[in-house]
Amino acid sequence: MALLEINNLEVHYGVIQALKGISFEVNEGEIIALIGANGAGKTTTLHTISGILQASSGNIIYDGKDITKMQAHKIVNLGISQVPEGRRVFAQLSVLENLKLGAFIRKDKDGIEEDLRNIYERFPRLEERKNQMAGTLSGGEQQMLAMGRALMSRPRIILMDEPSMGLSPIYVSEIFDIIKSINKDGTTVLLVEQNAKKALSIADRAYVLETGKIALSGDAKDLMNNDTVKKAYLGE
Amino acid sequence: MSFISNIIDGINLGSIYAIIALGYTMVYGIAKMLNFAHGDVIMIGGYVLYEIIQGLGYHPLLAIFLSMLVCTVLGVVIERVAYKPLRGATSLAVLITAIGVSYLLQNVAQLIFTSNPKNFDSGIDFGTISLAGGDLKIKGSTILTIVVSAAIVVGLLIFIKKSKTGRAMLAVSEDKDAARLMGVDVNKTIAITFAIGSALAAIASFFMLTAMPNLTPTTGSMPGIKAFVAAVFGGIGSIPGAFVGGILLGIIESLSKKYISTTLANAIVFLVLIIVLIFKPTGLFGKKIKEKV
């Protein structure tokens, strides 16, 4: 049984239909890439899974449970965490306060301290800047903070929305290495990216979204060699 | 000495504005709306105090406690019934609703208590302190008002910085959806904010009626508007700003009454607001909002 199962999901913004019945699944331990152009419905998909947006039909099954109508703050409790597009760190709060907010749903003080140490180990720059306001960090550091913050809830699956957006090439490679290592440590990853080449290079499987529908799907390696994908998304 | 005693009166008045302004500023900071019914919650709190102390003859401390309870419930109910359904609506719709709630409360109070003024007397003798060989007299209630108001500000700042609920408030204030993704229940956090603001309104009501004992169904509206001015003056959304704005406004009002004109005092208060907004649109403690492109 898949960890996350999306069935015929439809989402509307007023009269505009953003998702026209998409279905896909994410198995425990996988990295799944969701690629596609601007406006294809990638962010809408992640926001609907997280409960920020409501589906107009279809359902989302997580760990055997229907979470389609569940409120966002309860979904986090189940082990689904999101690194939102544009990082959306709390700019006026310190790095440490941001990380603590990531652990908002948890009550195990020792566990939180332990995870904080792990995150500082993974992102040493966050420890150096722990008392600095998050808004003063560089784009790459903010991305690390957003990832660290999402990890603080100890998720089983982490949804990442355009983690490489607006970053310098050096940071992009670093961020993708981090995603791989997060996955290696046991967290399932659903990755939304415009940088299709990078996304496919680390993913197990991938789905290609085109204006609210899934146009293609398969093993990431196969998709990388697919002529349509090459033309439309890899610029070859 | 009369100048100093006017300043002290101003600080007393300003402390009351400050407590009311905290309710405005917290709700604005977290729910991003102006709760124009806040002044009328104070008025309802006043009638609760009056009925319990002078109607039923109970101890003022019990009356303050019950008044806080009634105001808290009232504030949360108003938010749930009138404002929550409008989450995501235009700010104009919310503003008009708030004004509607304000008139509703005033008219309900008029139906129950009539519009005949009531003379509030808490029955507590706060005493008077004489300084400078009897030239300067300060009422005990004045000192208590100032001390309580300052203590509330410090308490709130600590609560927001140190408690989990406080951190949730900061997160909601910055980015509601990002807060949701952290597992913060945004509706609950907004309800708690209304509860705190309304409980403070009951405290403000006690000190206001102690200083100005005249109680009518419209008693809350002028202090409510002035406290709103104080909140904007200090930088809406900022807790220290609400306190400083309140105190400054009280002093300006008190000195205008004494040295310029009693009838013009209110006009001067609003004029000061306009001047501040021209030169510093975000208020004294307002945060500059950076637009990221």
Side-chain angles (χ1 to χ4, degrees), chain A residues 47 50 52 71-73 76 82 84 88-93 97 100-107 142 149, chain B residues 161 164-165 167-168 170-172 174-187 287-288 290 292:
Chain A
H47 274 1
S50 279
I52 298 284
Q71 286 173 294
H73 65 269
V76 186
Q82 190 186 137
R88 293 174 81 162
V89 294
F90 300 106
Q92 319 247 10
L93 302 183
E97 284 168 325
K100 280 187 174 166
L101 269 163
F104 187 79
I105 54 162
R106 293 171 60 184
K107 292 191 175 67
Q142 286 191 20
R149 188 179 67 173
Chain B
K161 201 73 191 163
K164 217 170 172 182
T165 311
R167 258 184 276 134
L170 290 173
V172 172
E174 255 198 63
D175 187 335
K176 281 196 187 68
D177 281 343
R180 273 190 190 104
L181 291 176
M182 302 300 110
V184 173
D185 184 342
V186 170
N187 286 330
K287 287 177 190 127
K288 266 186 234 138
K290 258 188 270 169
K292 250 199 169 167

Side-chain angles (χ1 to χ4, degrees), chain A residues 18-190:
Chain A
L19 292 183
K20 299 167 181 164
I22 64 165
S23 301
F24 66 92
E25 53 181 47
V26 182
N27 297 307
E28 184 121 45
E30 281 184 314
I31 297 181
I32 297 297
L34 212 54
I35 59 176
N38 252 339
K42 305 186 300 292
T43 297
T44 304
T45 307
L46 293 196
H47 274 1
T48 312
I49 296 169
S50 279
I52 298 284
L53 290 171
Q54 285 302 313
S56 27
S57 76
N59 59 40
I60 302 163
I61 311 289
Y62 169 76
D63 201 16
K65 209 184 297 173
D66 188 339
I67 61 163
T68 320
K69 300 229 178 306
M70 202 179 265
Q71 286 173 294
H73 65 269
K74 289 184 181 149
I75 289 176
V76 186
N77 254 322
L78 299 177
I80 302 180
S81 190
Q82 190 186 137
V83 182
E85 185 180 3
R87 349 301 170 206
R88 293 174 81 162
V89 294
F90 300 106
Q92 319 247 10
L93 302 183
S94 72
V95 168
L96 180 59
E97 284 168 325
N98 268 276
L99 291 172
K100 280 187 174 166
L101 269 163
F104 187 79
I105 54 162
R106 293 171 60 184
K107 292 191 175 67
D108 54 324
K109 271 198 176 148
D110 296 341
I112 292 172
E113 281 303 316
E114 188 194 324
D115 283 1
L116 206 53
R117 277 196 301 275
N118 291 338
I119 280 160
Y120 284 153
E121 211 169 287
R122 201 190 288 276
F123 308 104
R125 248 167 302 184
L126 294 184
E127 184 166 26
E128 285 163 28
R129 305 189 190 291
K130 64 181 172 188
N131 295 317
Q132 215 169 302
M133 285 222 293
T136 64
L137 301 181
S138 75
E141 288 163 349
Q142 286 191 20
Q143 189 60 53
M144 291 175 185
L145 177 56
M147 286 180 165
R149 188 179 67 173
L151 286 170
M152 284 300 288
S153 67
R154 274 200 188 171
R156 267 176 87 183
I157 178 166
I158 192 161
L159 317 177
M160 296 201 189
D161 199 348
E162 305 275 7
S164 76
M165 194 172 68
L167 299 185
S168 66
I170 300 166
Y171 263 131
V172 172
S173 298
E174 196 174 339
I175 290 292
F176 279 98
D177 286 344
I178 291 164
I179 297 171
K180 258 197 296 193
S181 85
I182 288 172
N183 177 252
K184 220 185 210 165
D185 292 347
T187 311
T188 308
V189 176
L190 175 56

